[in-house]
Amino acid sequence: MKSQSQIVSRTLVRLHSSWAVAACGVTLLMCVSGCGSTPAAWFRPNMVEATKQRLTPDQERQVSTVMLAMFGTPDAPVAPPETGLDEAKLQLAAGPVHSDIVGRKNGLYREHCAHCHGVTGDGLGPTAAFLNPYPRDYRPGVFKFKSTERSDKPTHEDLVRILHNGIPGTSMPSFALLSPPKVEALVEYVKYLSIRGETEIALMRAFFELDDEAQGKLPETREFLVDEVLTPVTEKWKSAADALIAVPEMASDLDLAASIAKGKELFYGDKANCVKCHGPTALGDGQANDYDDWNKAIVEVSKEVKSGLERAGETSTSGMDSEALAEHRGQLAWLDKFGRVLDGGDALRPRTIQPRNLRHGIYRGGRRPLDLYYRIHAGINGAPMPAAKGTVPPEEIWHIVNYVKSLPYELDGELGADRPMVAKDRF
Ligand code: HEC
Ligand code: HEC
């Protein structure tokens, strides 16, 4: 289409020998060929999981068919009643940006979020490859900055707070200027994309457990689709409000200087061992070769496939038949050749995660002492940052919070000459 319009524009230039007319012609042509021919938005299948589970094209098709029946399309989403999601809110957030008959703006997700988080919520929007950290892939249903225990879902209020505040120190903006009903609709839609993504992963994993009787076909019964696959996913979302972290009161007569000193001891001690990652200077210069869960999945899949291909090179030692191998090669061309999002790409180039520089005083999950308490108590889900819960008694976590809060203000001299690096050398 592009080259065709170029030919036509060159012809126009020759005919009229006027750039202005040519420019108008090209614009008109682009409009005629572009308008109305935009393909409908679609949910991109989770190819990292499909590759990991070594699904055949037929199995992928089965999953896509079930997904379409259960969750609809980006323009016409449906939510099974078991999800408890509010369809009216979903409609407001879904679809292309347009006004409905009462003049209310629809398509909020595509207007505000999709260029980063992707239409599918896979974190593969067109801007994603340029951002660090990458926008979140909601599909594994893992969220970081919340008031619940590590592996539990965020509460509704947690997600509202994220949209209100954004995530400081990252490209995730604040949407505080959107009206509350719009924020509600967007939060509902994030949950929808997440539940949808988790269901897809569960279906892809289900092939392994099928017995011989099933003959490689996913059962289409309610017992299987709802009771076995969907319910375990939705139950976790429904029980989030019961998984709140119990926070003890900070002692009202607390001696702050003594608390900070105690916190420092814990920070560098064996029990909490924050120093392992955040480094002896707390500048985040400890262990830095780890991946978060999203990147780890891509690294593992690419390693596995690479070793599969190598083994296949040794002809008969390969466990895969040639058809399966060709399928894997085809599926992972994006990783080997590009390793980044191109049209139709399935994942971003994996990146390691840096432990945070705690002397900046920028906290992604919020800077209230309570937010820091949550982070230290439960760790950061999906990231290597572990929970202090279990190793540090609940009241003593407040000492670590107080020490962390004091770090941006600690004088250079206090870092100690015995430490390998001090803040002023680093910047
Ligand atoms: C400019 C890019 C960008 C836009 C636009 C954007 N986000 Fe994000 N979002 C991010 C990044 C980057 C992260 C990951 C931050 C991290 O992992 O520290 C993120 C993370 C999130 C999270 C995960 C929070 C958690 O606790 O783990 C949610 C939920 C979210 N975004 C929702 C939205 C919604 C809804 C919109 C639209 C209203 C939106 N985002 C628009 C970049 C963006
Ligand atoms: C295994 C490595 C590791 C250990 C041990 C560790 N952290 Fe972290 N920490 C990280 C990583 C990685 C991040 C960045 C996570 C992210 O951005 O998603 C982080 C982030 C943080 C943050 C920033 C939270 C925010 O909202 O932005 C704080 C505060 C923090 N860690 C404190 C601590 C404390 C206190 C300890 C000891 C009790 C500790 N960490 C132990 C790896 C670690």
Side-chain angles (χ1 to χ4, degrees), residues 18-80:
S18 145
W19 286 108
V21 174
C24 289
V26 172
T27 319
L28 197 75
L29 260 170
M30 277 164 60
C31 202
V32 170
S33 62
C35 301
S37 67
T38 318
W42 61 298
F43 285 128
R44 194 198 298 255
N46 188 337
M47 292 312 290
V48 173
E49 189 64 31
T51 311
K52 191 168 158 197
Q53 302 303 331
R54 305 179 174 219
L55 298 193
T56 62
D58 172 61
Q59 289 171 324
E60 279 167 30
R61 265 193 300 275
Q62 287 187 47
V63 172
S64 301
T65 310
V66 174
M67 290 302 289
L68 183 65
M70 276 173 109
F71 292 95
T73 66
D75 288 348
V78 288

Short mmCIF file of all heavy atoms in Angstrom, two decimals, residues 18-80:
data_model
loop_
_atom_site.label_atom_id
_atom_site.label_comp_id
_atom_site.label_asym_id
_atom_site.label_seq_id
_atom_site.Cartn_x
_atom_site.Cartn_y
_atom_site.Cartn_z
N SER A 18 3.45 20.50 -8.71
CA SER A 18 3.25 21.36 -7.54
C SER A 18 3.32 20.48 -6.28
O SER A 18 2.57 19.54 -6.13
CB SER A 18 1.89 22.05 -7.64
OG SER A 18 1.32 22.20 -6.37
N TRP A 19 4.23 20.81 -5.34
CA TRP A 19 4.39 20.02 -4.11
C TRP A 19 3.14 20.06 -3.24
O TRP A 19 2.77 19.08 -2.61
CB TRP A 19 5.59 20.53 -3.30
CG TRP A 19 6.87 20.12 -3.93
CD1 TRP A 19 7.75 20.92 -4.58
CD2 TRP A 19 7.41 18.80 -3.99
NE1 TRP A 19 8.80 20.21 -5.07
CE2 TRP A 19 8.62 18.90 -4.71
CE3 TRP A 19 6.99 17.56 -3.54
CZ2 TRP A 19 9.43 17.80 -4.97
CZ3 TRP A 19 7.79 16.48 -3.79
CH2 TRP A 19 9.00 16.59 -4.50
N ALA A 20 2.51 21.23 -3.29
CA ALA A 20 1.34 21.37 -2.42
C ALA A 20 0.26 20.37 -2.83
O ALA A 20 -0.31 19.66 -1.99
CB ALA A 20 0.79 22.79 -2.50
N VAL A 21 0.02 20.28 -4.12
CA VAL A 21 -1.01 19.37 -4.60
C VAL A 21 -0.61 17.94 -4.28
O VAL A 21 -1.41 17.12 -3.83
CB VAL A 21 -1.23 19.56 -6.13
CG1 VAL A 21 -2.20 18.50 -6.65
CG2 VAL A 21 -1.76 20.94 -6.41
N ALA A 22 0.69 17.64 -4.47
CA ALA A 22 1.17 16.29 -4.18
C ALA A 22 0.95 15.93 -2.72
O ALA A 22 0.47 14.84 -2.40
CB ALA A 22 2.65 16.18 -4.53
N ALA A 23 1.29 16.87 -1.85
CA ALA A 23 1.13 16.62 -0.42
C ALA A 23 -0.33 16.32 -0.10
O ALA A 23 -0.65 15.37 0.62
CB ALA A 23 1.63 17.80 0.39
N CYS A 24 -1.24 17.16 -0.70
CA CYS A 24 -2.67 16.94 -0.45
C CYS A 24 -3.07 15.57 -0.96
O CYS A 24 -3.81 14.83 -0.30
CB CYS A 24 -3.52 17.98 -1.20
SG CYS A 24 -3.37 19.60 -0.49
N GLY A 25 -2.57 15.22 -2.14
CA GLY A 25 -2.91 13.93 -2.75
C GLY A 25 -2.52 12.77 -1.87
O GLY A 25 -3.31 11.87 -1.62
N VAL A 26 -1.29 12.86 -1.33
CA VAL A 26 -0.79 11.76 -0.48
C VAL A 26 -1.64 11.64 0.77
O VAL A 26 -2.05 10.56 1.18
CB VAL A 26 0.69 11.96 -0.12
CG1 VAL A 26 1.14 10.92 0.90
CG2 VAL A 26 1.56 11.87 -1.37
N THR A 27 -1.92 12.81 1.38
CA THR A 27 -2.73 12.80 2.62
C THR A 27 -4.08 12.14 2.35
O THR A 27 -4.54 11.29 3.10
CB THR A 27 -2.96 14.25 3.12
OG1 THR A 27 -1.75 14.95 2.97
CG2 THR A 27 -3.40 14.26 4.55
N LEU A 28 -4.69 12.56 1.22
CA LEU A 28 -6.00 12.04 0.85
C LEU A 28 -5.93 10.52 0.66
O LEU A 28 -6.75 9.77 1.18
CB LEU A 28 -6.45 12.72 -0.45
CG LEU A 28 -7.93 12.61 -0.77
CD1 LEU A 28 -8.68 13.57 0.15
CD2 LEU A 28 -8.18 12.96 -2.24
N LEU A 29 -4.86 10.10 -0.06
CA LEU A 29 -4.71 8.67 -0.33
C LEU A 29 -4.54 7.87 0.95
O LEU A 29 -5.16 6.82 1.14
CB LEU A 29 -3.46 8.46 -1.18
CG LEU A 29 -3.72 8.27 -2.66
CD1 LEU A 29 -2.41 8.32 -3.43
CD2 LEU A 29 -4.43 6.94 -2.88
N MET A 30 -3.69 8.41 1.84
CA MET A 30 -3.44 7.70 3.09
C MET A 30 -4.73 7.56 3.86
O MET A 30 -5.01 6.54 4.48
CB MET A 30 -2.39 8.43 3.93
CG MET A 30 -0.98 8.08 3.47
SD MET A 30 0.24 9.22 4.07
CE MET A 30 0.07 9.06 5.79
N CYS A 31 -5.54 8.63 3.78
CA CYS A 31 -6.79 8.62 4.53
C CYS A 31 -7.73 7.57 3.94
O CYS A 31 -8.29 6.75 4.65
CB CYS A 31 -7.42 10.00 4.46
SG CYS A 31 -8.55 10.26 5.78
N VAL A 32 -7.83 7.60 2.57
CA VAL A 32 -8.75 6.67 1.92
C VAL A 32 -8.33 5.22 2.19
O VAL A 32 -9.13 4.37 2.53
CB VAL A 32 -8.80 6.95 0.39
CG1 VAL A 32 -9.55 5.85 -0.34
CG2 VAL A 32 -9.45 8.30 0.15
N SER A 33 -6.99 4.98 2.08
CA SER A 33 -6.56 3.60 2.28
C SER A 33 -6.53 3.23 3.75
O SER A 33 -6.70 2.07 4.11
CB SER A 33 -5.17 3.38 1.66
OG SER A 33 -4.26 4.22 2.32
N GLY A 34 -6.33 4.21 4.63
CA GLY A 34 -6.21 3.91 6.06
C GLY A 34 -7.56 3.81 6.74
O GLY A 34 -7.84 2.87 7.45
N CYS A 35 -8.45 4.82 6.47
CA CYS A 35 -9.71 4.85 7.18
C CYS A 35 -10.55 3.63 6.86
O CYS A 35 -10.66 3.23 5.71
CB CYS A 35 -10.52 6.10 6.82
SG CYS A 35 -9.62 7.60 7.18
N GLY A 36 -11.13 3.07 7.88
CA GLY A 36 -12.05 1.96 7.66
C GLY A 36 -11.35 0.63 7.46
O GLY A 36 -11.97 -0.42 7.57
N SER A 37 -10.03 0.63 7.19
CA SER A 37 -9.39 -0.65 6.93
C SER A 37 -8.54 -1.11 8.11
O SER A 37 -7.83 -2.08 8.01
CB SER A 37 -8.53 -0.57 5.67
OG SER A 37 -7.44 0.29 5.92
N THR A 38 -8.62 -0.38 9.25
CA THR A 38 -7.86 -0.79 10.43
C THR A 38 -8.39 -2.15 10.90
O THR A 38 -9.59 -2.30 11.09
CB THR A 38 -8.06 0.21 11.57
OG1 THR A 38 -8.03 1.51 11.02
CG2 THR A 38 -7.02 0.06 12.65
N PRO A 39 -7.50 -3.15 11.04
CA PRO A 39 -8.02 -4.44 11.49
C PRO A 39 -8.54 -4.33 12.92
O PRO A 39 -8.05 -3.52 13.70
CB PRO A 39 -6.79 -5.36 11.43
CG PRO A 39 -5.60 -4.46 11.33
CD PRO A 39 -6.06 -3.12 10.87
N ALA A 40 -9.54 -5.14 13.24
CA ALA A 40 -10.12 -5.10 14.59
C ALA A 40 -9.04 -5.48 15.61
O ALA A 40 -8.18 -6.31 15.32
CB ALA A 40 -11.29 -6.09 14.66
N ALA A 41 -9.10 -4.84 16.79
CA ALA A 41 -8.12 -5.16 17.83
C ALA A 41 -8.31 -6.60 18.27
O ALA A 41 -9.43 -7.10 18.31
CB ALA A 41 -8.32 -4.22 19.00
N TRP A 42 -7.23 -7.28 18.60
CA TRP A 42 -7.33 -8.68 19.02
C TRP A 42 -6.45 -8.91 20.24
O TRP A 42 -5.51 -8.15 20.49
CB TRP A 42 -6.95 -9.62 17.89
CG TRP A 42 -5.53 -9.45 17.41
CD1 TRP A 42 -4.99 -8.32 16.86
CD2 TRP A 42 -4.47 -10.41 17.46
NE1 TRP A 42 -3.66 -8.52 16.56
CE2 TRP A 42 -3.31 -9.80 16.91
CE3 TRP A 42 -4.38 -11.73 17.91
CZ2 TRP A 42 -2.10 -10.48 16.81
CZ3 TRP A 42 -3.17 -12.39 17.80
CH2 TRP A 42 -2.05 -11.76 17.24
N PHE A 43 -6.79 -9.95 20.98
CA PHE A 43 -5.96 -10.33 22.12
C PHE A 43 -4.85 -11.24 21.62
O PHE A 43 -5.10 -12.31 21.07
CB PHE A 43 -6.80 -11.05 23.18
CG PHE A 43 -7.68 -10.13 23.98
CD1 PHE A 43 -9.04 -10.39 24.11
CD2 PHE A 43 -7.15 -9.02 24.62
CE1 PHE A 43 -9.85 -9.55 24.87
CE2 PHE A 43 -7.96 -8.17 25.37
CZ PHE A 43 -9.31 -8.44 25.49
N ARG A 44 -3.62 -10.81 21.84
CA ARG A 44 -2.46 -11.57 21.40
C ARG A 44 -2.26 -12.79 22.32
O ARG A 44 -2.27 -12.65 23.54
CB ARG A 44 -1.26 -10.62 21.58
CG ARG A 44 0.01 -11.01 20.90
CD ARG A 44 1.15 -10.26 21.53
NE ARG A 44 1.11 -8.82 21.42
CZ ARG A 44 1.88 -8.12 20.61
NH1 ARG A 44 2.71 -8.71 19.82
NH2 ARG A 44 1.82 -6.81 20.60
N PRO A 45 -2.11 -13.99 21.74
CA PRO A 45 -1.92 -15.17 22.62
C PRO A 45 -0.60 -15.08 23.39
O PRO A 45 0.33 -14.42 22.94
CB PRO A 45 -1.88 -16.35 21.65
CG PRO A 45 -2.15 -15.82 20.30
CD PRO A 45 -2.07 -14.34 20.33
N ASN A 46 -0.55 -15.72 24.53
CA ASN A 46 0.65 -15.69 25.36
C ASN A 46 1.66 -16.70 24.82
O ASN A 46 1.67 -17.87 25.21
CB ASN A 46 0.26 -16.05 26.81
CG ASN A 46 1.42 -15.87 27.77
OD1 ASN A 46 2.58 -15.88 27.37
ND2 ASN A 46 1.10 -15.71 29.03
N MET A 47 2.50 -16.24 23.90
CA MET A 47 3.39 -17.18 23.22
C MET A 47 4.55 -17.64 24.09
O MET A 47 5.13 -18.69 23.84
CB MET A 47 3.92 -16.55 21.92
CG MET A 47 2.86 -16.35 20.86
SD MET A 47 1.83 -17.81 20.58
CE MET A 47 3.02 -18.88 19.80
N VAL A 48 4.90 -16.84 25.10
CA VAL A 48 5.98 -17.29 25.99
C VAL A 48 5.51 -18.54 26.73
O VAL A 48 6.21 -19.56 26.78
CB VAL A 48 6.40 -16.18 26.97
CG1 VAL A 48 7.40 -16.71 27.99
CG2 VAL A 48 7.01 -15.01 26.20
N GLU A 49 4.28 -18.49 27.25
CA GLU A 49 3.75 -19.66 27.96
C GLU A 49 3.51 -20.82 26.99
O GLU A 49 3.82 -21.97 27.30
CB GLU A 49 2.44 -19.27 28.68
CG GLU A 49 1.90 -20.32 29.63
CD GLU A 49 2.82 -20.62 30.81
OE1 GLU A 49 3.54 -19.70 31.25
OE2 GLU A 49 2.83 -21.77 31.26
N ALA A 50 2.99 -20.49 25.78
CA ALA A 50 2.72 -21.55 24.80
C ALA A 50 4.02 -22.27 24.43
O ALA A 50 4.04 -23.49 24.30
CB ALA A 50 2.07 -20.97 23.55
N THR A 51 5.10 -21.50 24.31
CA THR A 51 6.38 -22.10 23.95
C THR A 51 6.91 -22.93 25.12
O THR A 51 7.44 -24.02 24.93
CB THR A 51 7.39 -21.00 23.58
OG1 THR A 51 6.77 -20.12 22.65
CG2 THR A 51 8.64 -21.57 22.97
N LYS A 52 6.75 -22.37 26.32
CA LYS A 52 7.21 -23.08 27.51
C LYS A 52 6.51 -24.44 27.63
O LYS A 52 7.12 -25.44 27.97
CB LYS A 52 6.90 -22.21 28.74
CG LYS A 52 7.54 -22.69 30.00
CD LYS A 52 7.41 -21.62 31.06
CE LYS A 52 7.53 -22.18 32.45
NZ LYS A 52 7.02 -21.24 33.45
N GLN A 53 5.21 -24.43 27.36
CA GLN A 53 4.43 -25.68 27.48
C GLN A 53 4.53 -26.54 26.23
O GLN A 53 3.88 -27.57 26.14
CB GLN A 53 2.95 -25.37 27.78
CG GLN A 53 2.70 -24.56 29.04
CD GLN A 53 3.27 -25.23 30.28
OE1 GLN A 53 3.36 -26.44 30.36
NE2 GLN A 53 3.68 -24.43 31.25
N ARG A 54 5.31 -26.08 25.25
CA ARG A 54 5.48 -26.80 23.97
C ARG A 54 4.15 -27.17 23.34
O ARG A 54 3.91 -28.32 22.95
CB ARG A 54 6.30 -28.07 24.19
CG ARG A 54 7.60 -27.74 24.84
CD ARG A 54 8.45 -28.93 25.12
NE ARG A 54 9.73 -28.43 25.60
CZ ARG A 54 10.89 -28.95 25.30
NH1 ARG A 54 10.96 -29.97 24.51
NH2 ARG A 54 11.99 -28.44 25.78
N LEU A 55 3.26 -26.20 23.24
CA LEU A 55 1.95 -26.48 22.65
C LEU A 55 2.07 -26.62 21.13
O LEU A 55 2.88 -25.93 20.51
CB LEU A 55 0.97 -25.34 22.97
CG LEU A 55 0.63 -25.08 24.42
CD1 LEU A 55 -0.57 -24.15 24.52
CD2 LEU A 55 0.33 -26.37 25.18
N THR A 56 1.26 -27.47 20.58
CA THR A 56 1.21 -27.60 19.12
C THR A 56 0.26 -26.52 18.59
O THR A 56 -0.56 -25.98 19.36
CB THR A 56 0.65 -28.97 18.72
OG1 THR A 56 -0.69 -29.04 19.21
CG2 THR A 56 1.47 -30.11 19.31
N PRO A 57 0.33 -26.22 17.28
CA PRO A 57 -0.61 -25.22 16.74
C PRO A 57 -2.06 -25.59 17.04
O PRO A 57 -2.86 -24.71 17.33
CB PRO A 57 -0.33 -25.25 15.24
CG PRO A 57 1.07 -25.76 15.12
CD PRO A 57 1.28 -26.69 16.28
N ASP A 58 -2.38 -26.87 17.00
CA ASP A 58 -3.76 -27.27 17.28
C ASP A 58 -4.14 -26.94 18.73
O ASP A 58 -5.23 -26.44 19.01
CB ASP A 58 -3.95 -28.77 17.02
CG ASP A 58 -5.31 -29.24 17.50
OD1 ASP A 58 -6.30 -28.72 16.96
OD2 ASP A 58 -5.38 -30.07 18.43
N GLN A 59 -3.21 -27.19 19.64
CA GLN A 59 -3.51 -26.88 21.06
C GLN A 59 -3.65 -25.37 21.25
O GLN A 59 -4.51 -24.91 21.99
CB GLN A 59 -2.39 -27.44 21.94
CG GLN A 59 -2.41 -28.96 22.03
CD GLN A 59 -1.19 -29.53 22.72
OE1 GLN A 59 -0.09 -29.00 22.58
NE2 GLN A 59 -1.37 -30.59 23.48
N GLU A 60 -2.82 -24.60 20.55
CA GLU A 60 -2.94 -23.14 20.64
C GLU A 60 -4.31 -22.68 20.16
O GLU A 60 -4.94 -21.81 20.75
CB GLU A 60 -1.86 -22.47 19.79
CG GLU A 60 -0.52 -22.40 20.49
CD GLU A 60 0.60 -22.03 19.53
OE1 GLU A 60 0.34 -21.30 18.56
OE2 GLU A 60 1.72 -22.48 19.76
N ARG A 61 -4.76 -23.29 19.07
CA ARG A 61 -6.08 -22.93 18.52
C ARG A 61 -7.18 -23.27 19.51
O ARG A 61 -8.11 -22.49 19.71
CB ARG A 61 -6.32 -23.65 17.19
CG ARG A 61 -5.94 -22.79 15.98
CD ARG A 61 -6.47 -23.40 14.68
NE ARG A 61 -5.94 -24.73 14.44
CZ ARG A 61 -4.77 -24.98 13.86
NH1 ARG A 61 -4.01 -23.99 13.45
NH2 ARG A 61 -4.35 -26.23 13.68
N GLN A 62 -7.06 -24.42 20.16
CA GLN A 62 -8.08 -24.80 21.15
C GLN A 62 -8.16 -23.75 22.26
O GLN A 62 -9.24 -23.34 22.67
CB GLN A 62 -7.72 -26.14 21.78
CG GLN A 62 -7.91 -27.34 20.89
CD GLN A 62 -7.69 -28.62 21.72
OE1 GLN A 62 -8.20 -28.75 22.81
NE2 GLN A 62 -6.90 -29.53 21.19
N VAL A 63 -6.98 -23.32 22.73
CA VAL A 63 -6.97 -22.33 23.82
C VAL A 63 -7.61 -21.02 23.33
O VAL A 63 -8.46 -20.44 24.00
CB VAL A 63 -5.53 -22.07 24.33
CG1 VAL A 63 -5.50 -20.91 25.32
CG2 VAL A 63 -4.96 -23.33 24.97
N SER A 64 -7.23 -20.58 22.11
CA SER A 64 -7.79 -19.32 21.59
C SER A 64 -9.31 -19.40 21.47
O SER A 64 -10.01 -18.43 21.78
CB SER A 64 -7.22 -18.99 20.21
OG SER A 64 -5.84 -18.88 20.30
N THR A 65 -9.82 -20.56 21.05
CA THR A 65 -11.26 -20.70 20.88
C THR A 65 -11.98 -20.59 22.23
O THR A 65 -12.97 -19.87 22.37
CB THR A 65 -11.60 -22.06 20.23
OG1 THR A 65 -10.77 -22.21 19.09
CG2 THR A 65 -13.04 -22.17 19.84
N VAL A 66 -11.43 -21.27 23.23
CA VAL A 66 -12.06 -21.21 24.56
C VAL A 66 -11.97 -19.78 25.11
O VAL A 66 -12.95 -19.24 25.66
CB VAL A 66 -11.37 -22.20 25.54
CG1 VAL A 66 -11.92 -22.02 26.94
CG2 VAL A 66 -11.53 -23.63 25.08
N MET A 67 -10.82 -19.14 24.91
CA MET A 67 -10.63 -17.77 25.42
C MET A 67 -11.64 -16.81 24.80
O MET A 67 -12.20 -15.96 25.48
CB MET A 67 -9.20 -17.28 25.14
CG MET A 67 -8.13 -17.97 25.95
SD MET A 67 -8.39 -17.83 27.71
CE MET A 67 -8.01 -16.12 27.95
N LEU A 68 -11.85 -16.96 23.49
CA LEU A 68 -12.79 -16.08 22.80
C LEU A 68 -14.19 -16.27 23.37
O LEU A 68 -14.90 -15.29 23.64
CB LEU A 68 -12.76 -16.39 21.29
CG LEU A 68 -13.63 -15.52 20.41
CD1 LEU A 68 -13.13 -14.07 20.44
CD2 LEU A 68 -13.63 -16.03 18.96
N ALA A 69 -14.57 -17.54 23.58
CA ALA A 69 -15.90 -17.81 24.10
C ALA A 69 -16.06 -17.27 25.53
O ALA A 69 -17.11 -16.76 25.90
CB ALA A 69 -16.16 -19.30 24.07
N MET A 70 -15.01 -17.37 26.32
CA MET A 70 -15.13 -16.96 27.73
C MET A 70 -14.99 -15.45 27.93
O MET A 70 -15.65 -14.87 28.78
CB MET A 70 -14.05 -17.65 28.57
CG MET A 70 -14.40 -19.04 29.02
SD MET A 70 -12.96 -19.79 29.81
CE MET A 70 -13.46 -19.81 31.50
N PHE A 71 -14.08 -14.81 27.17
CA PHE A 71 -13.76 -13.41 27.47
C PHE A 71 -14.02 -12.42 26.34
O PHE A 71 -13.80 -11.22 26.51
CB PHE A 71 -12.28 -13.30 27.91
CG PHE A 71 -12.01 -13.96 29.23
CD1 PHE A 71 -11.55 -15.26 29.30
CD2 PHE A 71 -12.25 -13.29 30.41
CE1 PHE A 71 -11.31 -15.88 30.51
CE2 PHE A 71 -12.03 -13.88 31.64
CZ PHE A 71 -11.56 -15.19 31.70
N GLY A 72 -14.48 -12.90 25.17
CA GLY A 72 -14.78 -11.98 24.08
C GLY A 72 -13.52 -11.35 23.50
O GLY A 72 -12.43 -11.91 23.59
N THR A 73 -13.71 -10.17 22.90
CA THR A 73 -12.60 -9.49 22.21
C THR A 73 -12.34 -8.14 22.88
O THR A 73 -13.16 -7.67 23.68
CB THR A 73 -12.98 -9.24 20.75
OG1 THR A 73 -14.09 -8.30 20.73
CG2 THR A 73 -13.39 -10.51 20.03
N PRO A 74 -11.24 -7.46 22.51
CA PRO A 74 -10.98 -6.14 23.12
C PRO A 74 -12.09 -5.13 22.82
O PRO A 74 -12.34 -4.23 23.61
CB PRO A 74 -9.67 -5.70 22.46
CG PRO A 74 -9.01 -6.94 21.98
CD PRO A 74 -10.12 -7.89 21.64
N ASP A 75 -12.78 -5.29 21.67
CA ASP A 75 -13.87 -4.36 21.35
C ASP A 75 -15.18 -4.77 22.01
O ASP A 75 -16.04 -3.93 22.26
CB ASP A 75 -14.08 -4.28 19.83
CG ASP A 75 -12.94 -3.52 19.15
OD1 ASP A 75 -12.15 -2.89 19.88
OD2 ASP A 75 -12.84 -3.58 17.91
N ALA A 76 -15.33 -6.06 22.28
CA ALA A 76 -16.57 -6.54 22.90
C ALA A 76 -16.23 -7.55 23.99
O ALA A 76 -16.40 -8.76 23.82
CB ALA A 76 -17.47 -7.19 21.83
N PRO A 77 -15.69 -7.06 25.12
CA PRO A 77 -15.30 -8.00 26.17
C PRO A 77 -16.53 -8.58 26.86
O PRO A 77 -17.54 -7.91 26.96
CB PRO A 77 -14.51 -7.12 27.15
CG PRO A 77 -15.02 -5.73 26.93
CD PRO A 77 -15.49 -5.65 25.50
N VAL A 78 -16.41 -9.82 27.28
CA VAL A 78 -17.44 -10.40 28.15
C VAL A 78 -16.72 -10.98 29.35
O VAL A 78 -15.56 -11.37 29.26
CB VAL A 78 -18.27 -11.52 27.46
CG1 VAL A 78 -19.20 -10.95 26.43
CG2 VAL A 78 -17.37 -12.56 26.82
N ALA A 79 -17.40 -11.00 30.48
CA ALA A 79 -16.77 -11.59 31.66
C ALA A 79 -17.70 -12.65 32.20
O ALA A 79 -18.87 -12.38 32.46
CB ALA A 79 -16.53 -10.52 32.71
N PRO A 80 -17.23 -13.88 32.35
CA PRO A 80 -18.10 -14.91 32.94
C PRO A 80 -18.58 -14.41 34.31
O PRO A 80 -17.81 -13.76 35.03
CB PRO A 80 -17.16 -16.11 33.11
CG PRO A 80 -15.98 -15.85 32.23
CD PRO A 80 -15.87 -14.37 32.09
#
